Short mmCIF file of all heavy atoms in Angstrom, two decimals:
data_model
loop_
_atom_site.label_atom_id
_atom_site.label_comp_id
_atom_site.label_asym_id
_atom_site.label_seq_id
_atom_site.Cartn_x
_atom_site.Cartn_y
_atom_site.Cartn_z
N ALA A 532 -120.10 65.89 -17.45
CA ALA A 532 -120.15 67.36 -17.50
C ALA A 532 -121.38 67.82 -18.27
O ALA A 532 -121.78 67.21 -19.27
CB ALA A 532 -118.89 67.91 -18.14
N ALA A 533 -121.98 68.92 -17.80
CA ALA A 533 -123.13 69.50 -18.50
C ALA A 533 -122.69 70.22 -19.77
O ALA A 533 -123.43 70.24 -20.76
CB ALA A 533 -123.87 70.47 -17.58
N HIS A 534 -121.50 70.80 -19.77
CA HIS A 534 -120.94 71.47 -20.94
C HIS A 534 -119.43 71.27 -20.92
O HIS A 534 -118.79 71.27 -19.86
CB HIS A 534 -121.26 72.96 -20.96
CG HIS A 534 -122.73 73.26 -21.14
ND1 HIS A 534 -123.33 73.26 -22.38
CD2 HIS A 534 -123.70 73.55 -20.24
CE1 HIS A 534 -124.61 73.54 -22.24
NE2 HIS A 534 -124.87 73.72 -20.95
N VAL A 535 -118.86 71.10 -22.10
CA VAL A 535 -117.42 70.90 -22.25
C VAL A 535 -116.90 71.96 -23.22
O VAL A 535 -117.41 72.09 -24.35
CB VAL A 535 -117.09 69.49 -22.79
CG1 VAL A 535 -115.58 69.34 -22.99
CG2 VAL A 535 -117.61 68.43 -21.82
N GLY A 536 -115.89 72.71 -22.79
CA GLY A 536 -115.28 73.70 -23.66
C GLY A 536 -114.21 73.06 -24.54
O GLY A 536 -113.40 72.26 -24.06
N LEU A 537 -114.19 73.40 -25.81
CA LEU A 537 -113.21 72.86 -26.76
C LEU A 537 -112.44 74.01 -27.39
O LEU A 537 -113.03 74.95 -27.92
CB LEU A 537 -113.92 72.04 -27.85
CG LEU A 537 -113.04 71.56 -29.00
CD1 LEU A 537 -112.00 70.56 -28.50
CD2 LEU A 537 -113.89 70.93 -30.11
N ILE A 538 -111.11 73.91 -27.33
CA ILE A 538 -110.22 74.88 -27.96
C ILE A 538 -109.38 74.13 -28.98
O ILE A 538 -108.72 73.15 -28.63
CB ILE A 538 -109.31 75.57 -26.92
CG1 ILE A 538 -110.16 76.28 -25.85
CG2 ILE A 538 -108.38 76.57 -27.59
CD1 ILE A 538 -109.34 76.84 -24.71
N ILE A 539 -109.42 74.57 -30.22
CA ILE A 539 -108.61 73.94 -31.26
C ILE A 539 -107.58 74.94 -31.76
O ILE A 539 -107.75 76.16 -31.62
CB ILE A 539 -109.48 73.43 -32.43
CG1 ILE A 539 -110.27 74.56 -33.08
CG2 ILE A 539 -110.42 72.34 -31.96
CD1 ILE A 539 -111.10 74.11 -34.27
N GLY A 540 -106.50 74.40 -32.31
CA GLY A 540 -105.40 75.27 -32.72
C GLY A 540 -105.78 76.27 -33.77
O GLY A 540 -105.33 77.42 -33.75
N ARG A 541 -106.62 75.86 -34.69
CA ARG A 541 -107.05 76.73 -35.78
C ARG A 541 -108.34 76.17 -36.34
O ARG A 541 -108.48 74.97 -36.46
CB ARG A 541 -105.97 76.80 -36.85
CG ARG A 541 -106.20 77.81 -37.96
CD ARG A 541 -105.06 77.75 -38.97
NE ARG A 541 -103.79 78.08 -38.34
CZ ARG A 541 -102.64 77.53 -38.68
NH1 ARG A 541 -102.60 76.60 -39.62
NH2 ARG A 541 -101.52 77.90 -38.08
N GLN A 542 -109.30 77.03 -36.67
CA GLN A 542 -110.56 76.53 -37.20
C GLN A 542 -110.42 76.30 -38.70
O GLN A 542 -110.91 77.07 -39.52
CB GLN A 542 -111.72 77.49 -36.90
CG GLN A 542 -113.07 76.87 -37.25
CD GLN A 542 -114.22 77.51 -36.52
OE1 GLN A 542 -114.01 78.13 -35.48
NE2 GLN A 542 -115.42 77.38 -37.05
N ASP A 543 -109.76 75.20 -39.04
CA ASP A 543 -109.65 74.78 -40.42
C ASP A 543 -110.03 73.31 -40.50
O ASP A 543 -110.37 72.67 -39.49
CB ASP A 543 -108.24 75.04 -40.96
CG ASP A 543 -107.15 74.37 -40.13
OD1 ASP A 543 -107.50 73.55 -39.25
OD2 ASP A 543 -105.97 74.66 -40.34
N LEU A 544 -109.97 72.75 -41.69
CA LEU A 544 -110.45 71.38 -41.89
C LEU A 544 -109.63 70.35 -41.12
O LEU A 544 -110.21 69.46 -40.48
CB LEU A 544 -110.47 71.07 -43.39
CG LEU A 544 -111.38 71.96 -44.23
CD1 LEU A 544 -111.32 71.55 -45.70
CD2 LEU A 544 -112.81 71.90 -43.73
#
Side-chain angles (χ1 to χ4, degrees):
H534 293 279
V535 177
L537 173 65
I538 302 173
I539 60 178
R541 187 181 299 146
Q542 189 158 338
D543 56 11
L544 300 180

